[in-house]
Amino acid sequence: MTNAAGLTGLDDAAIAALAAASVERLHVDAASPYLLIAEHAGNVVPAPWHDLGLAAPYLDTHFAVDIGIDALTRRLSRTLRAPAVIAHYSRLFLDYNRPADEWDFMRPDLGGIPVPGNLAPDAADAGLRKAIGWAPLEQAIVEAAAGRRALVSVHSFTPVMAGVRRNVDIGVLWREQSPFVTSVLKTLGAQGAEAGLRIGDNEPYDWRQAIGYTLNRHGLEQGRPCLYLEVRNDLLSDPETFERVGRTLEQAFATVAMSLWPKSAIAV
């Protein structure tokens, strides 16, 4: 069991500062119909947790962060003039997109490599993580989602998983059909093909078969259309393909907004 004695020295001011550093909101007052959410954009582990006992290079891997998503979400927020909520802390510290009772809410291993700080966190440790890594993000999303017509959670995925190559470049993941989902699939499918990008319909993951706390909680349960957007992470590591992906996504989502919610949409 992780001994949280080293964390008990955190006073209220220190905890508040760590909570404030966990999340960033962009374009709060923008009129866009969209809210963009990037739960896995950051790879920071708050200093009192000492990188969870991991060597620093592990925090630059897909286990710790969705590579390229911070930059992509900022670009889409800027171009679409859409509010965005960006998490700074690593999903290894606490994975907001998982229910608290899931094994990878605080993942104990990286494909067999132990995460020492996550092997058995005690109640005090877990409570602090929720206070500084979960609660501020929850509040930011609740506030930012008010009045929005659709939520888009932005993620990246690895080109190969368990020895199998993924045959899509951008995935649109949905659980419940809606005019928004249908329009995105049609529009992004067509514009993606023109850009030489393969668009997946519930690929490389099928949200109907997977867990997704963020959009279950803030999208479906609130009656808001929503989808997870997944981009192959090697495309986001190269400036040329990053530009092609960014341009394709912003054009597609602008087209969809102009079609469904023209009063609050902008052309790009």
Side-chain angles (χ1 to χ4, degrees):
M1 178 176 290
T2 299
N3 184 348
L7 304 177
T8 56
L10 294 173
D11 59 20
D12 289 345
I15 292 171
L18 290 170
S22 71
V23 63
E24 182 178 355
R25 291 182 60 176
L26 306 178
H27 302 291
V28 175
D29 297 322
S32 171
Y34 301 129
L35 170 64
L36 308 177
I37 305 168
E39 311 98 296
H40 297 158
N43 70 342
V44 175
V45 175
W49 280 263
H50 304 289
D51 288 346
L52 302 172
L54 290 169
Y58 288 116
L59 297 177
D60 292 325
T61 70
H62 184 73
F63 286 112
V65 60
D66 274 2
I67 295 165
I69 288 307
D70 183 88
L72 179 63
T73 304
R74 291 177 190 277
R75 172 182 174 138
L76 296 177
S77 177
R78 180 177 64 252
T79 307
L80 296 171
R81 297 179 202 166
V85 174
I86 296 178
H88 290 165
Y89 293 156
S90 172
R91 60 170 153 222
L92 292 178
F93 178 69
L94 181 146
D95 192 337
Y96 179 83
N97 195 39
R98 298 290 187 272
D101 58 357
E102 284 296 308
W103 72 274
D104 52 354
F105 184 64
M106 288 181 277
R107 185 186 179 110
D109 76 289
L110 313 180
I113 299 169
V115 180
N118 287 354
L119 291 179
D122 62 24
D125 184 344
L128 274 173
R129 294 196 206 191
K130 291 177 183 177
I132 72 171
W134 187 91
L137 192 56
E138 176 84 357
Q139 180 179 355
I141 295 173
V142 167
E143 292 174 355
R148 303 299 163 184
R149 302 297 190 92
L151 307 187
V152 179
S153 179
V154 190
H155 294 258
S156 66
F157 66 94
T158 56
V160 178
M161 178 71 171
V164 177
R165 181 166 293 278
R166 272 83 174 262
N167 292 319
V168 298
D169 300 315
I170 300 173
V172 176
L173 314 187
W174 54 273
R175 183 179 287 273
E176 294 181 6
Q177 275 284 10
S178 65
F180 170 61
V181 168
T182 300
S183 184
V184 170
L185 285 169
K186 179 180 179 181
T187 304
L188 185 56
Q191 295 185 7
E194 291 178 4
L197 296 167
R198 300 165 297 179
I199 308 302
D201 180 348
N202 263 330
E203 294 181 89
Y205 310 106
D206 188 334
W207 184 16
R208 295 166 297 184
Q209 307 299 324
I211 296 170
Y213 170 83
T214 306
L215 295 187
N216 281 339
R217 164 74 178 88
H218 300 287
L220 301 181
E221 291 178 8
Q222 310 303 320
R224 295 187 184 102
C226 54
L227 57 84
Y228 285 98
L229 191 64
E230 289 275 359
V231 182
R232 212 179 76 211
N233 63 14
D234 59 328
L235 297 176
L236 300 177
S237 300
D238 173 76
E240 182 177 341
T241 52
F242 179 93
E243 173 65 25
R244 180 154 52 103
V245 167
R247 184 170 61 250
T248 300
L249 289 173
E250 63 198 19
Q251 289 175 345
F253 278 91
T255 300
V256 169
M258 290 294 290
S259 171
L260 297 177
W261 307 292
K263 290 184 178 179
S264 55
I266 65 164
V268 300

